[in-house]
Amino acid sequence: MSGHPTPRPYGFVAFALVSGTGFVIDVALTMGLVAAGLSPFWASLIGAGTAVTFVYVTSRLGIFGDRKVGPAQDYALYILWQVAAVTAASLAVAALAFALLPLAPGLTDGDPLALTSGAAKVLVTPLTLTANYLFMRWLTQRSSGPALATEGDGT
C-alpha cells in the first residue's frame, strides 16, 4: 500500500458536486457584489476566494479520504494554487463579462454587467473545475506519501 489516501469511487463526480456548491456561492457573491458597484474582477476574486476554502475543506475530508484537513503546508500550497488560478480565472471572467455586454442590450431586469459576469463564470468553470480536481488529487496524494506517512506515529 502506498500510504496515499484513496479517492472515493465517485471521485470526480463528488468533487463536481462539492465544487458546484462552491460555484453557487461564488456566482451569487460575484453577481451581488457587481450589482452593489464592485468591479467584476474584484467581485470574482472575493466570490472565488470564499468558495475555494469551502471546497478545500469539504473535498479534503469527504472525497479524498483524509481524516484531517491536512498539514498547514498543504493548505498554504492550495491557497497559492488558488491565488494563481483564481486571478487568471477572474481576469478571464472580467474580459468575458465586458465582451458579452453588447449581447445584453435588451435586458431591462437587473444589472446587465452583473448578468454577463455570471454568464462568464459559467463559461470559465469547466476549465477551472478540471484543473482544481487534478491539483487537489495531486495535493492529497503528495501529502500522504511515504515521507509524511510517519507523521504523528511516534517515529
Side-chain angles (χ1 to χ4, degrees):
M1 183 159 165
S2 68
H4 294 236
T6 304
R8 303 283 198 268
Y10 45 81
F12 185 78
V13 173
F15 187 80
L17 291 172
V18 169
S19 293
T21 303
F23 178 77
V24 170
I25 293 167
D26 184 1
V27 171
L29 281 172
T30 298
M31 291 177 71
L33 291 170
V34 169
L38 204 58
S39 77
F41 174 79
W42 290 109
S44 178
L45 205 60
I46 291 167
T50 303
V52 298
T53 299
F54 165 79
V55 171
Y56 174 80
V57 172
T58 305
S59 63
R60 183 92 193 211
L61 295 173
I63 297 167
F64 291 99
D66 278 359
R67 285 175 276 186
K68 58 187 179 350
V69 171
Q73 67 191 27
D74 282 4
Y75 188 65
L77 283 172
Y78 181 77
I79 292 301
L80 287 173
W81 160 256
Q82 288 300 334
V83 166
V86 168
T87 299
S90 295
L91 288 168
V93 165
L96 283 168
F98 285 107
L100 292 171
L101 202 51
L103 301 175
L107 296 175
T108 56
D109 293 337
D111 179 351
L113 187 58
L115 293 173
T116 60
S117 295
K121 282 280 190 181
V122 170
L123 294 172
V124 169
T125 294
L127 180 60
T128 60
L129 173 65
T130 302
N132 286 331
Y133 175 77
L134 293 173
F135 183 83
M136 190 64 142
R137 186 175 69 181
W138 170 81
L139 184 66
T140 56
Q141 289 175 350
R142 173 201 156 279
S143 68
S144 299
L148 295 175
T150 59
E151 186 175 311
D153 70 357
T155 59

